[in-house]
Amino acid sequence: MDGARLRASRMAKMMTLDELAQRSGVSDRTIAAIERGDRGCRPETIRCLAKALGASTEELLAQTAREPTSARVPAPPTPPRSDTALPPLKLAPRTLLDRLADYTRAHGIAPPPIVVGKARVDVLMPPHMQDIFARHAAFDGKRFVVEGKVTRPRALSLAEARALGTKVGIGARYEVIAEIAPGMPFSMTVHATTAKLADALQAKIGQTARIVVVVRVVGKNDARVVSLFASTRKRAWAFVVAEVL
């Protein structure tokens, strides 16, 4: 399989490495290695990736073999060689969140704060999420309003329930999807820790809801224990539901 073509197919679907890994069952490290051309791809892996990309195995193989040169992702220019030059820095590929944050800033998309009680609370947007991923401890206790369609309830593991101060079978996590622009979904994960809040979110499945959340750092010394839909790696922080408006 042509790794550059796999990456082009993934980018065309606006999927991050984490998202493709989650949908295909192939690890993000394996996908990254295939895209770089560092390793080959077994037939079973190709079938899993094709299914996750919404294509048949034959279509994915045909695409990688016959796609026109004009569609290829251009390689970066080779820097001039020098005996003293350091090897070029390899930057991580831009994620869907990075692109959403760039789009949000470029178009000045900034919903006004929402009044909750006597306070004005910011609506969670991609730049906020980008900043929280980078330095979550600075946001511990910060409140946001999450606004979007409630989907995908999932149970908490024992470690997650303990970290969030709830019980297995009581707490749960939910995906909330907002649309920044047509065809540009923004996925967030919220964690309900009481039966009352979980019931309120369950009643909103498939509907748009406004949810007040608090950023809670739960991992001692950055221990990663909490699952998010947006990342296959567990995190040391979570959005904990405070209120369903």
Side-chain angles (χ1 to χ4, degrees), residues 22 150-158 160-161 164 166-176 187-194 197-199 201-202 205 211 213 225-235 237-241:
Q22 203 167 34
V150 181
T151 67
R152 291 208 292 175
R154 292 291 187 272
L156 301 179
S157 68
L158 178 59
E160 289 171 331
L164 293 170
T166 186
K167 296 180 179 180
V168 173
I170 297 296
R173 62 187 170 110
Y174 298 81
E175 183 179 41
V176 181
S187 173
M188 299 153 279
T189 306
V190 302
H191 297 76
T193 57
T194 69
L197 291 171
D199 288 343
L201 288 176
Q202 193 68 34
I205 295 293
I211 307 162
V213 299
V225 295
V226 182
S227 297
L228 302 180
F229 287 106
S231 173
T232 56
R233 295 181 63 188
K234 293 189 174 183
R235 298 289 162 180
W237 57 272
F239 290 122
V240 175
V241 178

Side-chain angles (χ1 to χ4, degrees), residues 1 26 41-51 55-58 60-61:
M1 177 182 289
V26 180
C41 196
R42 296 181 300 176
E44 179 59 28
T45 302
I46 296 174
R47 285 194 291 271
C48 292
L49 292 171
K51 183 178 180 180
S56 67
T57 302
E58 292 75 15
L60 185 58
L61 289 173

Side-chain angles (χ1 to χ4, degrees), residues 5-182:
R5 295 278 33 87
L6 173 61
R7 182 175 186 274
S9 299
R10 175 174 62 79
M11 297 296 284
K13 297 287 187 178
M14 297 188 70
M15 293 171 62
T16 65
L17 279 171
D18 284 347
E19 289 170 330
L20 182 54
Q22 203 167 34
R23 296 186 187 187
S24 66
V26 180
S27 74
D28 54 350
R29 290 185 180 181
T30 298
I31 296 172
I34 294 171
E35 291 186 354
R36 291 194 305 268
D38 292 346
R39 62 175 293 170
C41 196
R42 296 181 300 176
E44 179 59 28
T45 302
I46 296 174
R47 285 194 291 271
C48 292
L49 292 171
K51 183 178 180 180
L53 290 167
S56 67
T57 302
E58 292 75 15
E59 288 171 339
L60 185 58
L61 289 173
Q63 182 185 21
T64 59
R66 297 195 295 270
E67 193 158 351
T69 304
S70 61
R72 294 178 183 170
V73 177
T78 303
R81 295 186 62 83
S82 169
D83 292 339
T84 59
L86 295 174
L89 179 65
K90 289 187 177 181
L91 298 177
R94 294 188 67 73
T95 65
L96 175 59
L97 178 60
D98 292 329
R99 296 196 300 275
L100 289 174
D102 289 346
Y103 183 93
T104 302
R105 294 189 185 98
H107 291 79
I109 302 174
I114 292 173
V115 176
V116 179
K118 296 182 179 181
R120 294 166 62 83
V121 182
D122 290 333
V123 176
L124 184 69
M125 296 295 286
H128 296 130
M129 181 77 88
Q130 193 179 47
D131 207 5
I132 294 168
F133 268 108
R135 51 193 197 98
H136 58 271
F139 289 85
D140 192 20
K142 172 74 173 178
R143 291 200 303 168
F144 290 97
V145 171
V146 169
E147 188 168 19
K149 181 180 289 187
V150 181
T151 67
R152 291 208 292 175
R154 292 291 187 272
L156 301 179
S157 68
L158 178 59
E160 289 171 331
R162 285 175 174 172
L164 293 170
T166 186
K167 296 180 179 180
V168 173
I170 297 296
R173 62 187 170 110
Y174 298 81
E175 183 179 41
V176 181
I177 302 177
E179 194 171 49
I180 302 303

